[in-house]
Amino acid sequence: MTQTSVNPVDVSGRLRKMPASAGNPVGSPVQYQLRLGDDHVALNELIGQPISIEFDGVIRCINCDRVTKKSFSQGFCFPCMRKLAACDSCIMSPEKCHFHLGTCREPEWGQANCMVEHVVYLANSSGLKVGITRGTQVPTRWIDQGAVDAIPMLRVATRQLSGFVEVACKAHVADRTNWRTMLKGETTELNLAEERDKLLALVAEELDALRAEHGADSIRAVQEPSRDFSYPVEVWPQKVTSHNLDKTPRVSGVLQGVKGQYLILDTGVINIRKYTGYQVRFCAPANTGDSNA
Ligand SMILES: [Zn+2]
């Protein structure tokens, strides 16, 4: 793994989900990297500069390396999409987990990734939403969704159980992010601790029924603090238009910010995660020291 942080940048490789880390100290912007194969390009310092991304037409499965005409489940070839537990429909709909039936596509993977503690959380990404994630994916999951703040609500024993809880919560709260609103930076402030307590009261009966079936300790309400995130965005887009590498293989513009898994350019936004597995060349010109002038 090499860290490319000196300009000019000219790196080619297969796109992966952008690694992000919460700002340190607290309150400072999330730090993003563009990952191309084994190379990592620090993105925060490129904000304000022209960049380009050029897709060379080759997509390689991130699991088996095979060239695939189309990317399935964000970066996989068709056979892997059909074979891997990570691409099964229960990943999108955790309440449909079928591990207990002995039909998990990869029981070892399921044991390590689904039969472990999950967090049911509330986040403010484009408004209030409920979501679930593996305990170890906090706060990565929140940053990937572009949440400005998030709070754990419950800790539950398994992925499926978190899915059942989420289904109950969805009757009262959204479970999706409106990515256009998220990218415009138009979030309204919410008191997530208050929202958490309100929602817990609304789903109390359902939670009791689930505890009766799965054990009293299987769903634990938690009083954990919320976390705030600020994103490295210099200019918010007025109108959100998205670039599509399948239609226009070369995308260029001034990098104005990064939020969630999106790059915000003055020419439009691009969802990097959508192009996982795409072989691209990423360029940023030399830093003359006054490129922001
Ligand atoms: Zn594959």
Side-chain angles (χ1 to χ4, degrees):
M1 189 190 294
T2 55
Q3 183 86 27
T4 313
S5 58
V6 255
N7 286 315
V9 179
D10 184 347
V11 186
S12 293
R14 183 166 44 168
L15 277 180
R16 300 297 297 260
K17 186 165 99 78
M18 288 188 283
S21 50
N24 187 14
V26 172
S28 57
V30 170
Q31 295 291 316
Y32 280 101
Q33 296 181 323
L34 192 68
R35 182 173 167 201
L36 300 123
D38 291 333
D39 286 317
H40 288 63
V41 179
L43 285 174
N44 293 52
E45 58 205 62
L46 295 177
I47 291 169
Q49 293 193 41
I51 61 152
S52 67
I53 296 174
E54 194 166 359
F55 171 41
D56 74 6
V58 175
I59 306 170
R60 279 184 185 277
C61 173
I62 54 169
N63 182 56
C64 73
D65 243 19
R66 183 164 20 205
V67 173
T68 175
K69 267 191 194 151
K70 209 182 140 208
S71 150
F72 297 88
S73 294
Q74 295 179 323
F76 297 94
C77 68
F78 188 73
C80 285
M81 184 267 281
R82 295 291 299 267
K83 180 182 78 187
L84 299 175
C87 301
D88 204 343
S89 60
C90 45
I91 294 304
M92 296 305 287
S93 308
E95 71 280 7
K96 293 184 189 156
C97 172
H98 47 96
F99 186 92
H100 60 290
L101 301 174
T103 53
C104 183
R105 288 177 173 183
E106 295 171 279
E108 270 175 40
W109 189 92
Q111 191 71 50
N113 290 277
C114 304
M115 305 308 285
V116 295
E117 185 180 85
H118 276 61
V119 175
V120 181
Y121 62 85
L122 285 177
N124 183 6
S125 47
S126 57
L128 188 65
K129 78 169 283 263
V130 63
I132 67 137
T133 190
R134 234 183 310 143
T136 53
Q137 283 299 102
V138 167
T140 308
R141 179 85 181 137
W142 298 338
I143 295 171
D144 286 348
Q145 292 176 338
V148 292
D149 53 351
I151 194 169
M153 183 166 82
L154 298 155
R155 290 189 176 266
V156 300
T158 64
R159 183 171 179 84
Q160 187 184 39
L161 203 44
S162 74
F164 291 148
V165 173
E166 191 184 30
V167 167
C169 293
K170 275 197 251 186
H172 310 282
V173 176
D175 67 325
R176 271 157 212 249
T177 298
N178 178 328
W179 60 274
R180 286 177 195 277
T181 306
M182 182 275 283
L183 288 172
K184 282 184 181 170
E186 291 169 349
T187 37
T188 38
E189 248 181 71
L190 294 169
N191 182 331
L192 290 184
E194 256 175 52
E195 299 291 345
R196 173 197 63 198
D197 295 344
K198 258 194 271 176
L199 185 57
L200 281 174
L202 287 168
V203 297
E205 265 181 47
E206 285 99 328
L207 295 186
D208 283 343
L210 287 168
R211 285 188 186 106
E213 194 182 335
H214 300 273
D217 288 343
S218 63
I219 301 176
R220 292 186 294 118
V222 290
Q223 294 282 322
E224 294 177 27
S226 65
R227 282 188 71 167
D228 297 345
F229 304 98
S230 85
Y231 294 87
V233 180
E234 268 182 8
V235 185
W236 295 102
Q238 302 276 307
K239 189 168 150 264
V240 178
T241 51
S242 45
H243 288 295
N244 182 340
L245 290 179
D246 292 317
K247 290 183 182 147
T248 314
R250 188 173 188 281
V251 163
S252 62
V254 174
L255 182 64
Q256 296 184 317
V258 190
K259 191 178 184 192
Q261 280 287 321
Y262 286 83
L263 300 187
I264 300 169
L265 309 182
D266 62 342
T267 54
V269 303
I270 178 166
N271 179 358
I272 293 299
R273 191 159 196 194
K274 183 175 169 188
Y275 300 107
T276 302
Y278 282 54
Q279 181 76 29
V280 303
R281 178 178 181 191
F282 177 83
C283 294
N287 188 352
T288 56
D290 60 353
S291 60
N292 287 328

